[in-house]
Amino acid sequence: MEPNRIIISPKEGDDIFGSPVIGTKVVQVGWNEDYIVAKQVGLKPDPHATNAHRMILDDSRTNFYILDLKNKKKYGPLNDTRYVEQRNKMKVPNEVVLRNLDEFH
């Protein structure tokens, strides 16, 4: 698996996943039974790669998402200000914290 291909997709069965709800690259995630929150960083072609398909992170393209699991709604892409506003509006609990993916190993 390529490290820049991290997405969030619904599980539809044993080892079967649906289309991505949040595309590459998800770099932080948090959840509880009601919400999933995620931070996504965009990708751009690697100017130093010999493979034209090699991608690197594009820190100028950062988005946030909130998935309302009860109502099956997606909010995003959001900038950091709109993300905080939407979290507050939806009353997403403070314990739903964005964490780096390497914390889940």
Side-chain angles (χ1 to χ4, degrees):
M1 180 174 102
E2 183 165 337
N4 285 334
R5 300 286 180 216
I6 299 172
I7 60 172
I8 295 179
S9 294
K11 186 169 184 178
E12 296 180 345
D14 291 342
D15 298 324
I16 301 171
F17 291 88
S19 298
V21 177
I22 303 172
T24 58
K25 175 181 183 180
V26 174
V27 294
Q28 293 181 325
V29 68
W31 71 88
N32 68 8
E33 63 278 353
D34 299 320
Y35 301 101
I36 296 173
V37 296
K39 179 179 178 182
Q40 172 202 56
V41 175
L43 299 174
K44 63 183 177 183
D46 184 346
H48 305 293
T50 56
N51 178 346
H53 299 288
R54 174 92 172 125
M55 305 295 276
I56 59 173
L57 294 178
D58 182 356
D59 291 325
S60 69
R61 295 178 35 221
T62 301
N63 298 307
F64 296 87
Y65 293 85
I66 303 171
L67 303 179
D68 180 341
L69 301 176
K70 285 185 178 178
N71 297 307
K72 297 184 179 181
K73 289 189 176 184
K74 175 174 90 171
Y75 300 86
L78 305 166
N79 65 29
D80 54 351
T81 301
R82 290 285 304 132
Y83 168 72
V84 172
E85 291 171 354
Q86 189 66 40
R87 268 188 78 114
N88 291 336
K89 181 178 176 182
M90 296 172 67
K91 297 181 171 50
V92 176
N94 289 336
E95 58 267 11
V96 179
V97 177
L98 287 169
R99 296 173 45 198
N100 291 327
L101 298 179
D102 58 1
E103 294 181 38
F104 299 104
H105 289 290

